[in-house]
Structures are given as C-alpha cells and as structure tokens.
Amino acid sequence: MTTVETGAPADTGRSSVKGWLAVLAVTLGIFSLMTSELLPVGLLTPVGTALDVSEGTAGLMVTVPGLVAAVSAPLVTVATGRIDRRIVLVVLIGLMGVANLASAFATSFTVVLIARFLIGVSVGGFWSIAGGIALRLVPARHVARATAVIFGGVETASVLGVPLGTFIGDLSGWRTAFGAVGVLGLVSLVCLLFLMPKVPAEQSISFSALPKVFRTNVGLRIGIALTFLVITGHFLAYTFVRPILQEDGIRAGAIGALLLTFGVAGICGNFIAGALITRSLRNTVMGISVVLTAAMVILALVDTNAFTAGAILVLWGLGYGAVPVTFQSWIMDAAPEATEAATSLYVSAFNLSIALGALFGGFAVDGIGATSVLWIGAALAFLALFVVGGTRNSRVGHAS
C-alpha cells in the first residue's frame, strides 16, 4: 500500500521466473509482518491472564507496533536510503522473527511490549520499502500484477493471518502462536536471502514532499480522513472481539473458527471490491461504511450464539476485506503524480489508526465495558459516509 522507491521499469530482459520468486518472497515477508502486528487481536484474553494484565492493557500489544510503524515508515526509508534494499528487508524481517520468539518466551508484559516495539519498526520500514520493490524485480509488463500480489500479502494477513494465529493459540497456547509467527519470519528471511537479487538503492522520498502533497491535494486529505475513521473504528472494536464474543457466552475454543470465518469473508470482500471500484470508487467506499456500521451495531444489539455470531462476522469480514484495495485505489486515484509521497502518508495513517483504535478501545473496555467499543466503532465508520458525501460534486472518487 505504499510505493516509496522510484526507478526505471524493470529490464524486460530480466528473468520473469526469478523475479516472481523474489516477489513471492517479499509477499511472504509482508504476510508475516502484518500477521505479527495483528496477532494479539485473537489472543488478548489468554495473554492478559497469563501475564496478569487487564484486557484493555493487553490491547497495547496492538497499539505499540501501530504507533511505531506509523513513525518508522518514513524514518527507516530515509535512514536506509543508500543501503541495498535486499539487505534492509532481510534485517527488518529478521528483527520481527526474533521479536516474536522473544514474546513466546516472555515472563512479563514489559518484555512483550519491548518486542512489540521492535515489530513496529519492522512493519513500518519493510512495508514502506516493499511497496515499490516490484518495479525492480520483474519485467515492466508484470509490475502492476506483481505489486498487487505484494499488497495481497497485507490483505491476506489482515483477514486470514489473525484467525489462523488465534486457532493455533487455542489449540496449543498463545506462546506457540507467537513462536509460529516468529519461525515464519525466519523462513521469510531465508527466502529473501536466496530468492531476491541485490537491489541497489536508487531514490527514496524526502520528508519535504509529505506536507506539500497533503496540503495541495484535497482528494488525498479526504482519503486520509476516510482511513482514519474506518480503520480506527474497525480496530477499536475488532481488537476486542474475543472478549465481546466470550461475554455473549461463545466458548473460547470456537472463537478461532469464528475469526477464520471472518477471514474467508474478507477474502471474498476483497475480490468483490476489486470488481466494484472499476464502476464507482466513491459508492464502494460508501458501501463499506454502511456494511461495517451495520455489522458492529447488530453485534451490539443481538444476543449471539455460535451461528448468529458467525453470520455477523461474515458481514463484518465482507466489509473490512474490501477496505485495503478500495482505499489504496482512492489514494492512487487522488494523487497520480505524487504516488510515493501520498502512499507514504497513507501507510502511516493506516498504522496510526490501528494503534489509536486499539488504545482507545482499551480505555473503553476497561472503563465502560466490552460492548461499548462496538457502538463507538460503528459511529466512526458511519461518519465516513458524511466525508464521502462531500465529494458528490467533485471529481474525487469518481475515477478508478
């Protein structure tokens, strides 16, 4: 979702097979990182119980890496501007792997938070560089498709990585889940070392480009506002979906399966949105707002059992699964001449929104009750309708 490197299109004489193997290695790295960032969503209760902290405090496991990633996205890119991009990606994915293994063996919540800080550095830096790496790996005619595959790693982690991690945690314990993601990160490191060629640094975005594109582009400002409202609202509620479901009497062993249902629905939502945005990007964003709002309100109002909870999570998954491809398209559509700076701002806003959602959701859970986050999250998602409504008479969101 970010493109922070520039350069000429990949040499058409470059081997497609080797290039695609490198793309797949980067995709595995992105999947590992994003799964790592969001893994605690399904494990808040067991981690909090084991390390003697409240569920609201345990939500800091999502807040900390989100905040750090929002800052490290531009910082790491600029700081490593002259280093081979392959080396940078290998170091960052290795840092993530080690941090997750440290979490798996942690005996205090402080150690876990330090590890989550390091994961935030990895997520922000890796994501900001990897977004534009396809340009350097595959022939020019394959760049768009390869970039979509890399972005698919982010989406798949969001909708499948978390439920699979939760499922592993329910079967073998939360430490096993963190350890499994850590091992996956080290596997990604090996794949990057052996499958990715050297990618000498060419040019990275400058800090001065960020405020300029934000100040002069109304479409980008609207896209950032939509990202803030929808992503903050989603993670304010979704971070605490486990305690919400358990309060409704859903047994702990069924929650992993329910989140997996959410993930499958999310994959479907991604493909549905991919078709819809070619017709009307603006209407697709409005549809996402309506679906997410409805799902959270229904879950707050209905006394659920495993079946009804599954049906609601299908609706919620359809809505959230459509978010990454739709919002990325909005950003690219709004700033076609400044995609590097615009998408860097987007990735920071996305991660900052994850962090703020988890943080304020934690305050609400501890101070008001678990169900309160559903109402607050629904309100934020609903506000996105009014933001999009302001574009009715403009070009923003009407082109794909």
Side-chain angles (χ1 to χ4, degrees):
M1 295 177 189
T2 179
T3 314
V4 295
E5 293 203 345
T6 62
D11 185 352
T12 54
R14 190 188 303 276
S15 167
S16 288
V17 173
K18 291 182 179 179
W20 275 104
L21 287 174
V23 166
L24 293 177
V26 174
T27 303
L28 179 61
I30 284 278
F31 174 81
S32 304
L33 281 159
M34 294 307 296
T35 299
S36 174
E37 182 179 13
L38 302 178
L39 180 64
V41 166
L43 301 172
L44 288 184
T45 302
V47 172
T49 300
L51 299 181
D52 196 26
V53 296
S54 70
E55 288 169 342
T57 300
L60 290 173
M61 292 187 291
V62 180
T63 301
V64 168
L67 287 174
V68 175
V71 176
S72 67
L75 287 181
V76 171
T77 306
V78 173
T80 61
R82 297 185 179 183
I83 304 175
D84 187 310
R85 300 336 240 166
R86 172 175 171 264
I87 294 175
V88 177
L89 294 182
V90 165
V91 170
L92 290 171
I93 199 69
L95 180 64
M96 181 279 284
V98 171
N100 274 293
L101 292 175
S103 295
F105 292 99
T107 56
S108 73
F109 191 64
T110 300
V111 173
V112 172
L113 285 186
I114 293 172
R116 302 300 293 171
F117 179 94
L118 297 177
I119 288 168
V121 174
S122 301
V123 169
F126 193 103
W127 189 356
S128 65
I129 292 171
I133 206 74
L135 190 71
R136 312 282 303 279
L137 299 177
V138 297
R141 66 186 183 278
H142 292 161
V143 167
R145 189 183 309 166
T147 301
V149 169
I150 291 173
F151 289 152
V154 177
E155 296 163 2
T156 305
S158 299
V159 298
L160 281 182
V162 172
L164 286 174
T166 304
F167 191 68
I168 293 172
D170 287 339
L171 285 178
S172 304
W174 66 270
R175 295 183 185 276
T176 302
F178 277 102
V181 176
V183 171
L184 182 61
L186 297 182
V187 171
S188 302
L189 182 154
V190 173
C191 290
L192 287 169
L193 277 176
F194 287 97
L195 298 179
M196 189 172 179
K198 293 181 179 180
V199 185
E202 289 186 344
Q203 181 181 357
S204 58
I205 83 171
S206 63
F207 288 120
S208 62
L210 303 179
K212 180 179 179 181
V213 70
F214 184 81
R215 185 176 62 252
T216 60
N217 192 308
V218 64
L220 174 61
R221 293 199 298 272
I222 291 172
I224 296 298
L226 290 170
T227 300
F228 173 79
L229 289 171
V230 173
I231 301 303
T232 301
H234 168 75
F235 280 98
L236 195 145
Y238 185 66
T239 301
F240 302 95
V241 71
R242 183 181 185 117
I244 290 169
L245 293 175
Q246 288 190 240
E247 276 194 6
D248 275 353
I250 306 297
R251 60 185 180 84
I255 291 177
L258 288 172
L259 292 181
L260 188 59
T261 300
F262 172 92
V264 173
I267 293 293
C268 296
N270 175 61
F271 285 110
I272 292 170
L276 292 177
I277 60 177
T278 61
R279 301 177 184 178
S280 176
L281 182 54
R282 178 177 173 276
N283 287 342
T284 304
V285 174
M286 294 181 73
I288 289 172
S289 175
V290 170
V291 169
L292 290 177
T293 301
M296 286 183 257
V297 168
I298 293 170
L299 187 57
L301 291 175
V302 174
D303 290 330
T304 59
N305 52 38
F307 177 79
T308 55
I312 295 168
L313 287 176
V314 165
L315 181 65
W316 195 344
L318 285 170
Y320 181 70
V323 167
V325 64
T326 303
F327 283 28
Q328 175 64 29
S329 296
W330 184 290
I331 296 297
M332 300 296 286
D333 183 55
E337 304 301 323
T339 56
E340 298 171 0
T343 50
S344 179
L345 288 171
Y346 170 64
V347 93
S348 290
F350 198 102
N351 282 283
L352 179 61
S353 298
I354 292 174
L356 292 177
L359 176 63
F360 288 105
F363 291 151
V365 166
D366 285 347
I368 306 174
T371 306
S372 66
V373 297
L374 293 170
W375 291 108
I376 301 170
L380 290 174
F382 186 70
L383 284 175
L385 277 175
F386 295 94
V387 176
V388 180
T391 69
R392 182 179 298 278
N393 298 319
S394 72
R395 294 181 62 254
V396 177
H398 289 275
S400 59

